[in-house]
């Protein structure tokens, strides 16, 4: 039955390694770049409440389902569905995941490239002494300049390919373990510092005080999309990672830790950013939604960091850590495509990676040059493909996969207790699929 080579499959060496790698995939630009501007555009507190609800009743069950499918099948998503449901069309979910991976990489790596520009600009000191209005101007000038963003994109995608060729353990675990805690530390310090600024409370209010009149079907759709995007679920990334998790590891506990970290970091980024907007721009009479676009972090965070002594070093450091967080995410997305090429198309890993990087680059360059392409890839992958993938993944586990497989995976063949099993089953069979379907229908038809 083995579709791959006869070598034993690589696996994560420790429990911490699993969580670090999965959290490394989940935590990235989605939390620090995408979450704040989506929250800003879609009404602040109300968006946050719906986002948190989506994480809990849809995101967590989908993540557990992906881990479970991956570990029981020991395959890439496409191969996993072929193995668990022979002769049935479920493998199409795997194919959709590969498509989503292409789309995500093609715009995400562009933003990752922006972080490299900002490492460079911070290091050169060119962000110094600029107010938010000037920083916005600078961001726009850079973004719509065609050649620098293409250059940084190319550097980033090649870097990602290089790490993926190095393999799972060496490639991924090594980097995430050291640098993620540093990023966390920096974000916490920034959030604490920002709260001491005059005018910060308006920002907190914007983030935490829900104005429910702001909720529309579109806002709900975007909160759902953001939840999927941020957790790296809905396209099989975590099926692939699940296939590398050892049999003795506790899947639901792992999922819970990853979801917890990911959500904490997103909210933390919000706490660092929104009070800063209000504190920094009160003079200019800035309206939040005017700043809230794809440039948000690139404007507010340098402003905060440069307002303290040593800003140049802090800003350089911050963007380095952000680039690393982005890298651990791009690796995980590329991994989906590469594992598929290796196990299903029988390419060697190196060649698979090169082909994948080459084809992503074509779409990536288009998304640098045409904002419309960028927005289309961003919107469609997060708000449509991922929830659609998640919908089928929970249906698969809830209604198709044998109860025994689910039970064995969640109890590690009966050796640990899974007290939440009935709740989990209820969520994957009813709540999650119905919720996704409703959000989808209203969000897209309105
Ligand atoms: N979750 C990552 C972030 O927030 C991005 C990401 C990595 C992703 N792998 C994914 C998104 C798989 C969707 C699916 O930055």
């Amino acid at each position: 039955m083995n579709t791959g080579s006869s070598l034993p499959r690589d696996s994560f060496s420790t429990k911490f390694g699993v969580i670090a790698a999965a959290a490394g995939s989940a935590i990235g630009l989605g939390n620090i770049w995408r979450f704040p501007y989506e929250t800003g555009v879609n009404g602040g507190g109300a968006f946050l409440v719906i986002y948190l609800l989506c994480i809990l009743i849809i995101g967590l069950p989908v993540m557990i389902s992906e881990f479970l499918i991956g570990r029981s099948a020991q395959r890439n998503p496409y191969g996993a569905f072929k193995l668990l449901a022979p002769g049935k069309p479920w493998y199409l979910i795997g194919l959709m995941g590969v498509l989503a991976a292409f789309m995500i990489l093609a715009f995400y790596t562009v933003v990752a490239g922006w972080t490299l520009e900002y490492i460079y600009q911070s290091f050169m000191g060119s962000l110094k002494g600029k107010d938010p209005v000037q920083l916005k101007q600078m961001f726009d000038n850079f973004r719509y300049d065609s050649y620098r963003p293409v250059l940084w994109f190319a550097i980033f995608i090649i870097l990602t390919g290089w790490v993926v060729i190095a393999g799972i353990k060496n490639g991924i675990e090594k980097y995430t373990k050291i640098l993620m805690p540093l990023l966390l530390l920096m974000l916490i310090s920034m959030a604490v510092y920002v709260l001491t600024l005059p005018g910060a409370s308006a920002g907190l209010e914007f983030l935490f005080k829900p104005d429910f009149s702001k909720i529309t079907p579109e806002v709900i759709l975007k909160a759902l999309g953001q939840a999927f995007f941020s957790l790296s679920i809905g396209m099989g990334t975590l099926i692939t990672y699940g296939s590398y998790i050892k049999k003795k590891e506790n899947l639901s506990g792992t999922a819970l830790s990853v979801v917890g970290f990911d959500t904490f970091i997103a909210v933390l980024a919000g706490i660092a950013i929104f009070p800063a907007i209000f504190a920094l721009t009160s003079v200019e009479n800035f309206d939040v939604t005017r700043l809230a676009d794809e440039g948000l972090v690139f404007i507010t965070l340098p402003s905060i960091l440069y307002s303290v002594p040593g800003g140049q070093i802090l800003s350089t450091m911050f963007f380095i850590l952000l680039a690393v967080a982005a890298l651990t995410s791009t690796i995980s997305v590329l991994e989906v495509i590469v594992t598929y090429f290796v196990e299903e198309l029988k390419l060697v890993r190196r060649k698979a990676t090169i082909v994948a990087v080459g084809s992503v680059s074509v779409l990536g360059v288009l998304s640098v040059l045409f904002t419309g392409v960028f927005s289309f890839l961003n919107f469609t992958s997060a708000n449509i493909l991922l929830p659609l993938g998640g919908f089928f993944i929970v249906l698969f586990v809830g209604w198709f996969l044998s109860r025994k497989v689910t039970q064995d995976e969640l109890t590690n063949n009966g050796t640990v207790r899974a007290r939440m099993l009935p709740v989990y089953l209820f969520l994957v069979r009813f709540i999650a699929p119905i919720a996704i379907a409703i959000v989808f229908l209203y969000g897209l038809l309105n």
Side-chain angles (χ1 to χ4, degrees):
M1 281 296 268
N2 197 341
T3 60
S5 66
S6 54
L7 292 170
R9 259 180 101 78
D10 218 347
S11 72
F12 292 115
S13 52
T14 63
K15 181 181 166 64
F16 181 74
V18 179
I19 295 177
S25 163
I27 297 164
L29 298 170
N31 309 58
I32 295 165
W33 162 75
R34 199 175 192 279
F35 171 79
Y37 87 75
E38 285 285 340
T39 305
V41 174
N42 293 300
F47 180 86
L48 179 63
V49 170
I50 299 178
Y51 171 75
L52 293 175
L53 264 177
C54 291
I55 293 272
L56 213 61
I57 63 171
I58 302 173
L60 187 60
V62 172
M63 187 182 286
I64 296 174
S65 306
E66 287 201 25
F67 279 158
L68 179 166
I69 292 169
R71 192 172 67 172
S72 72
Q74 298 283 300
R75 298 269 186 295
N76 70 85
Y78 172 88
F81 285 111
K82 282 233 144 154
L83 180 83
L84 297 173
K88 299 266 175 9
W90 290 102
Y91 66 88
L92 290 172
I93 304 173
L95 283 185
M96 196 168 79
V98 175
L99 174 70
F102 269 104
M103 294 175 65
I104 290 173
L105 268 184
F107 80 89
Y108 193 92
T109 313
V110 174
V111 183
W114 298 349
T115 66
L116 299 182
E117 165 82 4
Y118 274 72
I119 294 173
Y120 173 75
Q121 297 295 353
S122 303
F123 184 76
M124 299 307 282
S126 25
L127 305 173
K128 202 174 197 145
K130 293 208 162 66
D131 65 26
V133 181
Q134 290 167 315
L135 284 169
K136 177 159 177 53
Q137 193 56 54
M138 202 178 140
F139 174 80
D140 288 340
N141 289 346
F142 158 69
R143 183 181 177 183
Y144 298 114
D145 168 9
S146 49
Y147 124 87
R148 293 176 75 92
V150 169
L151 181 75
W152 291 124
F153 167 84
I155 292 175
F156 208 97
I157 195 75
I158 288 169
L159 191 65
T160 305
W162 175 69
V163 177
V164 165
I165 289 176
I168 284 292
K169 269 190 202 141
N170 309 337
I172 303 176
E173 278 188 53
K174 204 164 74 189
Y175 300 92
T176 37
K177 280 182 200 169
I178 324 158
L179 293 163
M180 285 294 150
L182 252 175
L183 176 67
L184 181 66
L185 204 72
M186 231 184 140
L187 274 175
I188 293 177
S189 325
M190 286 159 81
V192 171
Y193 168 69
V194 159
L195 292 180
T196 67
L197 298 175
S201 58
L204 282 185
E205 205 164 287
F206 178 78
L207 182 60
F208 290 116
K209 201 168 152 207
D211 170 0
F212 289 109
S213 70
K214 298 246 171 80
I215 298 178
T216 63
E218 198 200 345
V219 166
I220 301 178
L221 179 70
K222 287 186 169 173
L224 179 69
Q226 176 59 27
F228 270 80
F229 190 84
S230 191
L231 296 176
S232 298
I233 54 178
M235 55 163 255
T237 296
L238 299 184
I239 293 182
T240 307
Y241 275 37
S243 73
Y244 297 118
I245 298 178
K246 288 200 171 135
K247 289 293 180 192
K248 66 178 193 327
E249 237 66 87
N250 177 334
L251 292 184
S252 38
T254 303
L256 205 60
S257 312
V258 175
V259 168
F261 277 131
D262 187 75
T263 309
F264 182 64
I265 301 249
V267 173
L268 207 56
I271 298 178
I273 286 172
F274 289 108
I277 300 179
F278 285 85
L280 295 166
T281 57
S282 52
V283 217
E284 334 282 342
N285 240 336
F286 246 55
D287 163 14
V288 193
T289 47
R290 250 180 80 197
L291 260 189
D293 68 2
E294 287 95 338
L296 187 60
V297 274
F298 297 96
I299 294 155
T300 48
L301 296 187
S303 309
I304 305 168
L305 294 167
Y306 273 96
S307 69
V308 296
Q312 190 168 343
I313 296 169
L314 290 176
S315 177
T316 309
M317 221 171 96
F318 177 79
F319 283 111
I320 289 175
L321 294 174
L322 189 56
V324 172
L327 181 64
T328 56
S329 301
T330 51
I331 291 166
S332 75
V333 185
L334 185 58
E335 190 68 48
V336 171
I337 306 175
V338 169
T339 314
Y340 170 76
F341 281 178
V342 169
E343 293 182 2
E344 305 304 328
L345 305 185
K346 307 280 183 270
L347 296 183
V348 295
R349 196 169 175 85
R350 193 184 165 78
K351 185 159 181 199
T353 309
I354 293 171
V355 172
V357 163
S359 36
V360 163
S361 297
V362 176
L363 199 55
V365 169
L366 290 176
S367 90
V368 173
L369 300 181
F370 305 102
T371 319
V373 174
F374 179 98
S375 305
F376 172 80
L377 295 172
N378 186 354
F379 182 91
T380 312
S381 60
N383 302 327
I384 298 177
L385 288 184
L386 299 179
L388 201 60
F391 176 75
F392 288 115
I393 286 168
V394 283
L395 280 188
F396 180 76
V397 174
W399 297 96
F400 185 87
L401 193 63
S402 87
R403 187 63 56 82
K404 175 153 181 2
V405 173
T406 307
Q407 206 150 2
D408 284 350
E409 283 300 332
L410 293 183
T411 61
N412 292 355
N413 294 319
T415 57
V416 292
R417 286 181 55 202
R419 264 169 296 133
M420 299 302 275
L421 189 65
V423 180
Y424 166 75
L425 283 174
F426 185 66
L427 287 172
V428 290
R429 302 190 78 174
F430 302 104
I431 304 294
I434 292 172
I436 297 172
I438 292 174
V439 172
F440 235 60
L441 291 178
Y442 279 95
L444 292 177
L445 296 182
N446 86 94

